[in-house]
Amino acid sequence: MRHEERLPTRTPQSRAFADRVQAAMTLSARLNALPFDDLPARRALLTEIFGGPVPESLSVLPPFHCDYGLNATFGERVFINQGCYFLDFGGITIGDRVLIGPRVTLTTAGHPVDPGERFAFITHAPIVIEDDVWIGAAATITSGVTIGHGSVVGAGAVIAKDVPPLTVVTATSHIERRHLGAVPDQTW
C-alpha cells in the first residue's frame, strides 16, 4: 500500500477510533431504518454521520453503511446507490458529478500484510475519486487509490492501483485507456 499510515492498536487513539466506529455504525443503522421517503430525517442523519453539513445535491440511497464518517467529503451532484460501504478512516474524497452504483465498497483501512504485525496496527490511506467518475455495481476501491476524472470503473472490478483520467477499467481486463472525450456540462 502506498503512503499508508499506521494506527497502533491497544492505545488511547485506537480506543477513540473504535468509539467513533461504534457511533457511526449506530447512526448508519438508524439511517437504514428510516422510511425511504423521509428525506429531512435522512439528511439530518447524514450530517451526523459525516460530522457536518453535506451538499444539498448529495443523494445517498439506503441501505448505506459507514464505519467512521468523519473523513469523507463530497462534491456537488454525487449519487450513491443502495447497499454501499464506506470505510473512510483513511479519508474519502469524492468530486463533483460522481455516480456510485449499488453495493460499491470504498475501503481506506486494513492491516499489515506481515502476520507478526497484523494485530498490532490498523493501516490506512486515502481514496480520491475525481469529478465525473462512474463506479459500477459491486466494485471495490482499496486504500491509497485515485480514480482520475471522467473514468469508469466497471461492475465487480477490484481497484488496487490508480486509474488515469478518462479510462475504463473492468473486472475482466487490465487497465485500458479509452479516450472518452470531454465531459459535457450536464444538469441532472
Side-chain angles (χ1 to χ4, degrees):
M1 217 181 300
R2 295 165 313 214
H3 311 295
E4 74 179 13
E5 294 186 33
R6 291 177 170 215
L7 173 67
T9 59
R10 296 177 296 283
T11 64
Q13 294 85 1
S14 66
R15 181 74 254 158
F17 166 75
D19 290 344
R20 177 56 197 174
V21 167
Q22 183 68 38
M25 292 177 74
T26 298
L27 291 167
S28 295
R30 287 179 43 208
L31 173 75
N32 296 333
L34 288 173
F36 184 76
D37 60 352
D38 193 347
L39 297 178
R42 191 183 325 167
R43 177 147 312 276
L45 278 169
L46 288 171
T47 297
E48 281 189 72
I49 290 168
F50 296 119
V54 295
E56 285 292 320
S57 61
L58 173 65
S59 180
V60 178
L61 300 185
F64 175 78
H65 308 277
C66 186
D67 79 335
Y68 194 73
L70 302 179
N71 291 339
T73 60
F74 304 92
E76 294 295 327
R77 295 175 23 205
V78 171
F79 175 79
I80 301 167
N81 213 323
Q82 300 175 41
C84 290
Y85 288 82
F86 282 25
L87 287 69
D88 68 309
F89 180 61
I92 295 173
T93 302
I94 298 176
D96 295 333
R97 298 170 305 280
V98 170
L99 301 171
I100 298 178
R103 297 185 300 117
V104 166
T105 298
L106 305 179
T107 181
T108 66
H111 298 278
V113 174
D114 180 350
E117 295 182 332
R118 201 164 291 156
F119 289 96
F121 298 97
I122 297 169
T123 59
H124 56 95
I127 291 172
V128 176
I129 301 170
E130 295 180 350
D131 296 345
D132 301 304
V133 168
W134 174 23
I135 301 175
T140 298
I141 313 298
T142 63
S143 59
V145 167
T146 296
I147 309 294
H149 77 273
S151 291
V152 176
V153 174
V158 176
I159 306 300
K161 295 180 182 178
D162 289 350
V163 175
L166 300 171
T167 301
V168 175
V169 182
T170 66
T172 59
S173 69
H174 300 280
I175 290 182
E176 175 182 323
R177 184 168 174 85
R178 292 187 191 169
H179 182 63
L180 297 178
V183 178
D185 183 23
Q186 298 177 7
T187 304
W188 47 277

